[in-house]
């Protein structure tokens, strides 16, 4: 089956997630610097979440560009990923109301962990969907960045109970690791034929 509807649906869901995230931002309680400082943790988590959602969307776009065929399993794997991404606004709201407390920050890590796992599962499901997706398999290789990200999220969850700032530093480190779109896929597409052709 074609991948056009999957791409369009994913783009729509991610656009809605980003919209909900910004709607969850509350106005500062006062019109001075103290008011801005009062909502600084929420703004920080919003910015980090915007970057993270953007990273997932960017890499999802590259992954599907290297994909020729999908099947029903790919559709369900994609829905699994989108489910976890759709929980990001909920966790942002919790952090906004509770502050940088251990449970909300650890839960944020759990949502990122499951989103990362969902993305990895989607990659493997696409590769298994048919030989036309061999370019993606070649481009991914050992996927050390994917494994490192999952381990960082896993470590950050208990560390949030030591200090939420340590967990946030790990979440930021993973985001920095992925800020550049996946060049492995770009390099393979540039070296081979157009996967859409």
């Amino acid at each position: 089956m074609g991948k056009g509807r999957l791409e369009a649906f994913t783009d729509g869901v991610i656009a809605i997630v980003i919209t909900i995230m910004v709607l969850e931002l509350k106005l500062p309680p006062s019109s001075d610097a103290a008011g801005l400082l009062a909502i600084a943790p929420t703004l920080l988590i919003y910015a980090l979440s915007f970057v993270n959602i953007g990273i997932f969307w960017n890499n999802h776009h590259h992954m599907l560009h290297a994909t020729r065929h999908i099947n029903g399993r790919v559709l369900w794997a994609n829905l699994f990923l989108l489910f976890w991404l759709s929980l990001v606004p909920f966790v942002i709201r919790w952090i906004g109301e509770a502050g940088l407390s251990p449970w909300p920050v650890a839960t944020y890590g759990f949502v990122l962990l499951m989103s990362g796992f969902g993305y990895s599962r989607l990659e493997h499901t696409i590769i298994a969907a048919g030989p036309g997706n061999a370019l993606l398999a070649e481009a991914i290789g050992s996927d050390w960045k994917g494994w490192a990200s999952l381990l960082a999220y896993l470590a950050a969850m208990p560390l949030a109970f030591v200090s939420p700032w340590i967990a946030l530093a790990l979440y930021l480190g993973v985001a920095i690791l992925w800020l550049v779109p996946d060049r492995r896929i770009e390099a393979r597409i540039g070296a081979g034929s157009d996967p859409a052709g």
Side-chain angles (χ1 to χ4, degrees):
M1 69 180 65
K3 59 185 180 178
R5 290 189 69 194
L6 175 70
E7 289 176 298
F9 180 74
T10 301
D11 289 349
V13 170
I14 288 178
I16 291 168
V17 168
I18 288 174
T19 302
I20 293 170
M21 281 180 3
V22 77
L23 292 175
E24 291 296 334
L25 289 176
K26 294 184 178 178
L27 293 174
S30 61
S31 60
D32 56 8
L36 269 179
L37 282 174
I39 63 163
T42 307
L43 289 174
L44 173 70
I45 292 295
Y46 168 76
L48 180 60
S49 299
F50 188 91
V51 169
N52 274 316
I53 296 291
I55 288 167
F56 276 105
W57 178 79
N58 247 324
N59 287 304
H60 189 278
H61 167 74
H62 281 80
M63 176 171 55
L64 285 180
H65 189 67
T67 300
R68 291 189 68 182
H69 304 290
I70 63 169
N71 57 24
R73 289 182 177 168
V74 171
L75 297 178
W76 282 108
N78 196 67
L79 282 172
F80 181 82
L81 167 63
L82 293 177
F83 170 78
W84 290 104
L85 291 178
S86 74
L87 290 177
V88 170
F90 162 75
V91 184
I92 290 176
R93 183 174 183 185
W94 191 11
I95 292 172
E97 292 184 5
L100 293 177
S101 331
W103 274 106
V105 173
T107 303
Y108 183 74
F110 180 71
V111 169
L112 291 176
L113 172 71
M114 294 307 293
S115 298
F117 173 74
Y119 183 86
S120 178
R121 186 75 200 125
L122 178 59
E123 274 182 341
H124 290 95
T125 306
I126 287 174
I127 291 167
N133 299 333
L135 183 67
L136 180 62
E138 293 170 17
I140 291 169
S142 64
D143 194 24
W144 71 268
K145 280 170 60 171
W147 285 108
S149 302
L150 294 176
L151 289 173
Y153 293 144
L154 202 56
M157 291 187 308
L159 287 172
F161 293 91
V162 176
S163 168
W165 289 103
I166 296 173
L168 287 174
L170 282 170
Y171 303 151
L172 180 61
V174 172
I176 291 169
L177 181 67
W178 286 100
L179 266 177
V180 176
D182 203 329
R183 289 187 173 167
R184 297 169 298 174
I185 294 173
E186 288 179 349
R188 290 301 303 162
I189 290 173
S193 59
D194 183 3

